[in-house]
Amino acid sequence: MDASFEPKIIALVCNWCTYTAADLAGTSRLKYPANVRLVRLMCTGMIDVKYVIKAFLEGADGVFIGGCHPGDCHYINGNLKARKRIRSVGSILENFGFDPGRLTLQWIGASEGPEFARHMTEFVDTIKKLGPNPIKTRMIL
């Protein structure tokens, strides 16, 4: 494992819950890795599998998806739709040579700033252990 490796993490997050938790973490001055790039969506139910795969193909080392807790979705069941879609992505990633641990889905409520910071830190640590995206090592520059 390269000690200087800092993973590039794309976080696709729900506007109503996980993004608000990220904002709370920031205003509470909680620390989490700076190499996480948030992409705010109105709902995780909007996530299309092709965008998750595209993130990896364009060099993301990990993709984090954060949404409302089941039963709390502002769009009734968008988070449950996301869970169903994301479950199927694991086998697709394996077929491309990716460890399915590079993708995670977590439920983080709006008032859970500390949990957001913890999940981000744990996910970045997991990706550091997995090393760089395998696509990066296969690219011809």
Side-chain angles (χ1 to χ4, degrees), residues 6-128:
E6 284 299 327
K8 179 178 162 185
I9 306 296
I10 303 298
L12 306 171
V13 299
C14 159
N15 176 66
W16 303 104
C17 286
T18 307
Y19 186 81
T20 305
D23 186 51
L24 178 60
T27 57
S28 300
R29 299 179 189 234
L30 301 174
K31 296 200 183 293
Y32 63 90
N35 42 347
V36 176
R37 300 293 175 253
L38 295 176
V39 178
R40 180 168 65 170
L41 306 169
M42 291 310 288
C43 180
T44 54
M46 296 175 59
I47 296 172
D48 190 317
V49 170
K50 68 183 171 191
Y51 295 117
V52 173
I53 294 169
K54 183 177 176 24
F56 284 116
L57 294 177
E58 290 190 4
D61 297 301
V63 176
F64 181 96
I65 298 170
C68 300
H69 288 280
D72 288 339
C73 180
H74 284 70
Y75 298 96
I76 303 170
N77 62 355
N79 52 0
L80 302 178
K81 290 177 185 175
R83 179 172 57 189
K84 188 175 180 180
R85 279 191 205 119
I86 298 312
R87 281 183 183 159
S88 67
V89 177
S91 60
I92 294 169
L93 291 176
E94 284 182 301
N95 288 336
F96 281 110
F98 287 91
D99 186 310
R102 291 184 180 277
L103 173 67
T104 190
L105 170 64
Q106 298 292 332
W107 309 128
I108 304 171
S111 64
E112 297 177 325
E115 286 80 3
F116 174 83
R118 181 180 55 81
H119 282 297
M120 286 297 126
T121 302
E122 288 173 358
F123 188 60
V124 169
D125 289 345
T126 296
I127 300 304
K128 281 184 177 181

Side-chain angles (χ1 to χ4, degrees), residues 124-140:
V124 169
D125 289 345
T126 296
I127 300 304
K128 281 184 177 181
K129 289 175 187 159
L130 292 174
N133 176 334
I135 293 286
K136 290 179 185 177
T137 60
R138 295 182 200 150
M139 295 174 89
I140 299 172

